[in-house]
Amino acid sequence: MTDSDYLIRAARLAARGLGHTRPNPAVGAVIVRDGAIVGEGWHKKCGGDHAEVSAIKNAMRRGVGSLAGSTIYVTLEPCSKPGRVGACTDAIAEAGISRVVYAVQDPNPKNRGKAARALARHGVECERFAGDAGVVADCRSLVAGFRKHVLTGLPYVTVKIAMSLDGKICDDRGGSDWITGESSRRRTNRLRESVDAIMVGAETVRRDNPSLLARVKPNKDLIRVVVSRSGRLPEDAQVFTDKLNQTLVFDDAEKALRELGRMGVTSVLCEGGLVLARSLADAGLVDEWIAAIAPVFIGSKRISSAIRGTTFRGGCFLSDGDSFFTAGLSGFASWSGEGSGMNFGFNCKSKV
């Protein structure tokens, strides 16, 4: 196995902490000696062991007598200043680890770029991974929310909108259930599992009465946020009666984000209400916009009776950044065997 392989493993471990570590970042660590993994861990919750300490303790539980000559692979630069817990550089040195490889530099000015100097005093090598850019990008995405929060005090905001091919997010009666398919719903569930808070508008609560929780693996640490200028919300809505997760109500989205930032929330998923999503975008508060475009033509029908595409080719990404999606709405569209009977002369590579 290579340095890339060990960092990939560390990133997968780190992902388990997403949505649970605020205001800290999600970090994973793997300890390797003589080509074998002897310890691994991740940061589970603020105030608990950091990933490096978790991995060291894991190695001790495995009966590893000494970590001399070992390398620890970490998704984020180890902290060199003590906070709620001790500095990770001290724990690494005390454990006898000989080498540190980390993927992403800590964005926190208190620690950024300081691990190497702190470890050098103990004779420990420390280097920033300079290999596979994809691995670095994956590790960087794990701390995107932490980076924005530590630099601005605001959470990283992702807007997710599901829409039909004809640009609708609901039918003419206001129904919006199941525009997208099962695969998209699984992706949405994973998003809900990995963020600190979910934000929706009042109309979403009134019309859909959502729980805003992941269906398979609910995040018990998630904060639910409802934005309502009037404050008139149904008292029997799930978000108020299920007693599962905290629900906060704000009269303004920007105010909500600033207060959430003060609470240590580093990531917010805005999942309901196009008006709310647009207001966040207009205020320059959206960091990422996800459009789940379903191969469905709603027209004036109910979603349940809408025309659903028989084929779907994914996206064709052109040189100017536009993405063209092709859905066949009849059997004739699949006659070519490639999902569309016509290609309109586009010569682009589909990315599925």
Side-chain angles (χ1 to χ4, degrees), residues 10-179:
R12 288 174 178 166
L13 292 168
R16 299 181 185 181
L18 286 171
H20 306 288
T21 63
R22 64 175 183 268
N24 291 348
V27 182
V30 171
I31 302 174
V32 177
R33 189 180 66 186
D34 299 326
I37 294 176
V38 296
E40 56 184 25
W42 69 95
H43 185 41
K44 297 179 175 67
K45 200 172 186 66
C46 181
D49 290 336
H50 286 189
E52 297 90 331
V53 174
S54 177
I56 292 168
K57 288 183 177 180
N58 178 254
M60 296 301 103
R61 287 195 297 272
R62 293 186 183 193
V64 178
S66 170
L67 292 177
S70 66
T71 297
I72 186 168
Y73 295 87
V74 195
T75 54
L76 185 69
E77 178 183 8
C79 63
S80 53
K81 300 288 184 183
R84 297 188 185 188
V85 297
C88 289
T89 51
D90 291 339
I92 290 168
E94 289 170 6
I97 293 171
S98 302
R99 177 172 171 252
V100 175
V101 177
Y102 67 89
V104 179
Q105 192 175 59
D106 193 331
N108 189 340
K110 293 180 180 179
N111 293 301
R112 185 171 57 228
K114 298 177 181 178
R117 291 197 299 272
L119 289 165
R121 291 195 290 268
H122 300 281
V124 180
E125 296 179 29
C126 180
E127 62 185 82
R128 186 174 176 181
F129 178 68
D132 191 327
V135 174
V136 175
D138 287 345
C139 294
R140 189 179 292 124
S141 69
L142 290 165
V143 296
F146 172 72
R147 180 176 184 274
K148 184 180 179 184
H149 184 260
V150 78
L151 296 179
T152 70
L154 292 172
Y156 185 96
V157 178
T158 299
V159 168
K160 182 261 177 183
I161 295 289
M163 64 178 65
S164 64
L165 282 174
D166 52 335
K168 292 193 173 186
I169 64 169
C170 63
D171 60 28
D172 289 348
R173 297 164 182 80
S176 60
D177 284 345
W178 314 137
I179 287 180

Side-chain angles (χ1 to χ4, degrees), residues 6 55 68 94 130 139 168 205 214 257 305 349:
Y6 296 127
E94 289 170 6
C139 294
K168 292 193 173 186
V205 174
L257 290 177
S305 58
K349 184 177 181 181

Side-chain angles (χ1 to χ4, degrees), residues 155 197 199 223 225 248 256-265 268:
M199 177 183 288
I223 298 174
V225 180
L248 303 176
L257 290 177
R258 296 196 182 283
E259 179 59 28
L260 290 170
R262 282 192 286 271
M263 293 170 59
V265 169
V268 174

